Amino acid sequence: MSDSTWVSTSMPYLAPRAAGQPHAWAAEAAARGGKGGQRIAHAGEVPAPDAVAALLGVTAGEPVVVRRRIIELDNKPCELTDTYYPVSIARGTRLAEKGKIPGGAVTLLAELGHVGVRVREDVTARMPSADEREALRTGADEPVLRLSRVTLDSDDQPIQVDLMVMPAHRQQLRYEIRIG
Protein backbone atom coordinates (compact mmCIF):
# COMPACT_ATOMS: atom_id res chain seq x y z
CA MET A 1 0.00 0.00 0.00
CA SER A 2 1.43 3.37 -0.98
CA ASP A 3 1.49 6.05 1.71
CA SER A 4 1.04 8.79 -0.88
CA THR A 5 -2.45 7.54 -1.82
CA TRP A 6 -3.93 7.49 1.68
CA VAL A 7 -7.15 9.47 1.96
CA SER A 8 -8.49 9.97 5.48
CA THR A 9 -11.92 11.03 6.66
CA SER A 10 -12.78 11.91 10.26
CA MET A 11 -16.23 10.32 10.38
CA PRO A 12 -15.26 6.79 11.56
CA TYR A 13 -13.41 8.30 14.53
CA LEU A 14 -16.34 10.33 15.85
CA ALA A 15 -18.94 7.66 16.58
CA PRO A 16 -18.85 4.93 19.25
CA ARG A 17 -18.05 1.41 17.99
CA ALA A 18 -20.43 -1.52 18.44
CA ALA A 19 -19.41 -4.24 20.90
CA GLY A 20 -16.66 -6.42 19.45
CA GLN A 21 -15.73 -4.03 16.65
CA PRO A 22 -12.04 -3.16 16.34
CA HIS A 23 -10.70 0.35 16.88
CA ALA A 24 -11.62 2.61 13.95
CA TRP A 25 -7.99 3.00 12.79
CA ALA A 26 -7.36 -0.75 12.77
CA ALA A 27 -10.57 -1.27 10.77
CA GLU A 28 -9.77 1.50 8.27
CA ALA A 29 -6.23 0.25 7.68
CA ALA A 30 -7.39 -3.37 7.30
CA ALA A 31 -10.06 -2.35 4.79
CA ARG A 32 -7.26 -0.91 2.67
CA GLY A 33 -4.98 -3.92 3.00
CA GLY A 34 -2.75 -2.57 5.76
CA LYS A 35 -2.19 -3.00 9.46
CA GLY A 36 -3.13 -0.06 11.65
CA GLY A 37 -1.87 0.21 15.20
CA GLN A 38 -0.88 2.66 17.87
CA ARG A 39 1.59 3.00 20.69
CA ILE A 40 0.49 4.93 23.73
CA ALA A 41 3.47 7.05 24.73
CA HIS A 42 1.83 8.68 27.77
CA ALA A 43 -1.50 8.90 29.56
CA GLY A 44 -2.40 10.91 32.63
CA GLU A 45 -2.96 14.39 33.98
CA VAL A 46 -0.96 17.36 32.71
CA PRO A 47 -1.36 21.15 32.93
CA ALA A 48 -3.50 22.34 29.99
CA PRO A 49 -1.40 24.05 27.30
CA ASP A 50 -2.81 27.41 26.17
CA ALA A 51 -4.29 26.10 22.89
CA VAL A 52 -5.89 23.10 24.59
CA ALA A 53 -7.26 25.22 27.42
CA ALA A 54 -8.93 27.54 24.90
CA LEU A 55 -10.55 24.60 23.08
CA LEU A 56 -11.69 22.82 26.25
CA GLY A 57 -12.89 26.05 27.88
CA VAL A 58 -10.60 25.69 30.91
CA THR A 59 -7.90 27.91 32.38
CA ALA A 60 -4.38 27.47 30.96
CA GLY A 61 -2.40 25.30 33.35
CA GLU A 62 -5.52 23.69 34.84
CA PRO A 63 -5.21 19.88 35.00
CA VAL A 64 -6.51 17.93 32.00
CA VAL A 65 -6.08 14.30 31.01
CA VAL A 66 -4.01 13.54 27.91
CA ARG A 67 -3.41 10.39 25.89
CA ARG A 68 -0.32 10.76 23.66
CA ARG A 69 -0.19 8.21 20.87
CA ILE A 70 1.99 7.33 17.92
CA ILE A 71 -0.30 6.04 15.18
CA GLU A 72 1.27 3.45 12.89
CA LEU A 73 0.52 2.03 9.47
CA ASP A 74 2.26 -1.27 8.75
CA ASN A 75 4.44 -0.70 11.84
CA LYS A 76 5.65 2.71 10.59
CA PRO A 77 4.69 5.98 12.31
CA CYS A 78 2.22 8.00 10.27
CA GLU A 79 0.64 10.36 12.83
CA LEU A 80 1.19 11.79 16.29
CA THR A 81 -2.03 12.29 18.21
CA ASP A 82 -2.49 13.96 21.58
CA THR A 83 -6.05 13.67 22.87
CA TYR A 84 -7.13 15.82 25.83
CA TYR A 85 -10.14 15.50 28.13
CA PRO A 86 -11.48 17.61 31.00
CA VAL A 87 -10.55 15.96 34.33
CA SER A 88 -14.25 16.00 35.27
CA ILE A 89 -14.80 13.44 32.50
CA ALA A 90 -11.56 11.45 32.42
CA ARG A 91 -10.03 11.39 35.92
CA GLY A 92 -10.11 7.86 37.34
CA THR A 93 -11.17 6.25 34.03
CA ARG A 94 -9.27 4.22 31.44
CA LEU A 95 -8.79 7.48 29.54
CA ALA A 96 -6.20 8.42 32.17
CA GLU A 97 -4.39 5.07 31.90
CA LYS A 98 -1.77 3.96 29.40
CA GLY A 99 -3.56 0.78 28.32
CA LYS A 100 -5.51 0.43 25.11
CA ILE A 101 -9.27 0.96 25.32
CA PRO A 102 -11.47 -1.71 23.66
CA GLY A 103 -13.49 -0.01 20.92
CA GLY A 104 -11.52 3.21 21.40
CA ALA A 105 -11.88 6.29 23.55
CA VAL A 106 -15.03 7.56 21.80
CA THR A 107 -16.78 4.31 22.72
CA LEU A 108 -15.67 4.65 26.35
CA LEU A 109 -16.82 8.29 26.42
CA ALA A 110 -20.27 7.17 25.26
CA GLU A 111 -20.34 4.48 27.97
CA LEU A 112 -19.54 7.23 30.48
CA GLY A 113 -22.47 9.32 29.18
CA HIS A 114 -20.51 11.75 26.96
CA VAL A 115 -21.53 11.65 23.32
CA GLY A 116 -20.24 14.08 20.74
CA VAL A 117 -22.80 15.74 18.49
CA ARG A 118 -20.69 18.44 16.83
CA VAL A 119 -17.06 18.60 15.78
CA ARG A 120 -14.92 21.53 14.70
CA GLU A 121 -11.65 20.85 12.88
CA ASP A 122 -8.91 23.23 11.82
CA VAL A 123 -6.05 22.15 9.56
CA THR A 124 -2.78 24.03 9.14
CA ALA A 125 0.55 23.21 7.52
CA ARG A 126 3.94 23.92 9.04
CA MET A 127 7.43 22.57 9.39
CA PRO A 128 7.78 19.89 12.10
CA SER A 129 9.73 20.26 15.32
CA ALA A 130 12.85 18.12 15.74
CA ASP A 131 10.93 15.74 18.03
CA GLU A 132 8.12 15.39 15.49
CA ARG A 133 10.61 14.75 12.66
CA GLU A 134 12.27 12.03 14.70
CA ALA A 135 9.00 10.38 15.77
CA LEU A 136 7.54 10.47 12.23
CA ARG A 137 10.88 9.60 10.55
CA THR A 138 10.68 12.50 8.11
CA GLY A 139 13.30 14.78 6.62
CA ALA A 140 14.03 18.32 7.79
CA ASP A 141 12.46 19.76 4.61
CA GLU A 142 9.18 17.81 4.80
CA PRO A 143 6.18 19.81 6.12
CA VAL A 144 3.46 18.37 8.33
CA LEU A 145 -0.26 18.93 8.61
CA ARG A 146 -1.64 19.76 12.04
CA LEU A 147 -5.27 18.90 12.55
CA SER A 148 -6.96 20.33 15.63
CA ARG A 149 -10.35 18.82 16.51
CA VAL A 150 -12.74 19.72 19.31
CA THR A 151 -15.74 17.46 19.97
CA LEU A 152 -18.78 19.04 21.65
CA ASP A 153 -21.74 17.35 23.35
CA SER A 154 -25.45 18.19 23.04
CA ASP A 155 -24.99 21.06 25.54
CA ASP A 156 -22.23 22.47 23.28
CA GLN A 157 -19.63 21.62 25.94
CA PRO A 158 -16.21 20.33 24.82
CA ILE A 159 -15.62 16.71 25.79
CA GLN A 160 -12.47 15.97 23.79
CA VAL A 161 -9.69 17.80 21.94
CA ASP A 162 -7.39 16.04 19.46
CA LEU A 163 -4.16 17.56 18.19
CA MET A 164 -2.76 15.51 15.32
CA VAL A 165 0.46 15.94 13.36
CA MET A 166 1.05 13.98 10.15
CA PRO A 167 3.51 14.19 7.24
CA ALA A 168 1.82 16.30 4.58
CA HIS A 169 3.15 14.29 1.64
CA ARG A 170 1.61 11.07 3.01
CA GLN A 171 -1.86 12.39 3.76
CA GLN A 172 -4.95 13.68 2.03
CA LEU A 173 -7.84 14.80 4.22
CA ARG A 174 -11.38 14.40 2.94
CA TYR A 175 -14.41 16.19 4.33
CA GLU A 176 -17.91 15.09 3.45
CA ILE A 177 -20.69 17.29 4.78
CA ARG A 178 -24.36 16.38 4.75
CA ILE A 179 -26.55 19.41 4.17
CA GLY A 180 -30.09 19.47 5.50
Side-chain angles (χ1 to χ4, degrees), residues 16 105-115:
V106 172
T107 301
L108 177 58
L109 281 171
E111 291 170 6
L112 297 171
H114 304 283
V115 177

Side-chain angles (χ1 to χ4, degrees), residues 31-60:
R32 297 180 189 207
K35 181 181 179 220
Q38 61 179 302
R39 288 183 285 130
I40 302 165
H42 174 81
E45 291 188 28
V46 297
D50 292 346
V52 171
L55 292 169
L56 282 178
V58 301
T59 304

Side-chain angles (χ1 to χ4, degrees), residues 2-3 5 8 30 32 43 49 63 69 74 93-94 102 109 116 126 131 137-138 152 156-157 170 172:
S2 169
D3 287 341
T5 61
S8 181
R32 297 180 189 207
R69 296 168 292 140
D74 297 330
T93 72
R94 288 180 289 171
L109 281 171
R126 62 172 170 76
D131 288 344
R137 300 182 197 157
T138 61
L152 302 128
D156 219 27
Q157 294 300 305
R170 294 188 215 157
Q172 175 183 330

Side-chain angles (χ1 to χ4, degrees), residues 131-143:
D131 288 344
E132 291 167 338
R133 259 194 325 274
E134 182 180 337
L136 291 169
R137 300 182 197 157
T138 61
D141 61 343
E142 297 177 89

Side-chain angles (χ1 to χ4, degrees), residues 50-112:
D50 292 346
V52 171
L55 292 169
L56 282 178
V58 301
T59 304
E62 182 176 322
V64 293
V65 170
V66 66
R67 290 178 64 81
R68 289 195 170 100
R69 296 168 292 140
I70 300 167
I71 310 301
E72 297 176 330
L73 176 61
D74 297 330
N75 297 312
K76 296 177 187 164
C78 62
E79 181 180 299
L80 305 176
T81 300
D82 290 352
T83 303
Y84 295 87
Y85 307 93
V87 292
S88 61
I89 290 174
R91 182 180 275 159
T93 72
R94 288 180 289 171
L95 295 169
E97 299 171 1
K98 202 170 175 182
K100 291 186 180 177
I101 299 170
V106 172
T107 301
L108 177 58
L109 281 171
E111 291 170 6
L112 297 171

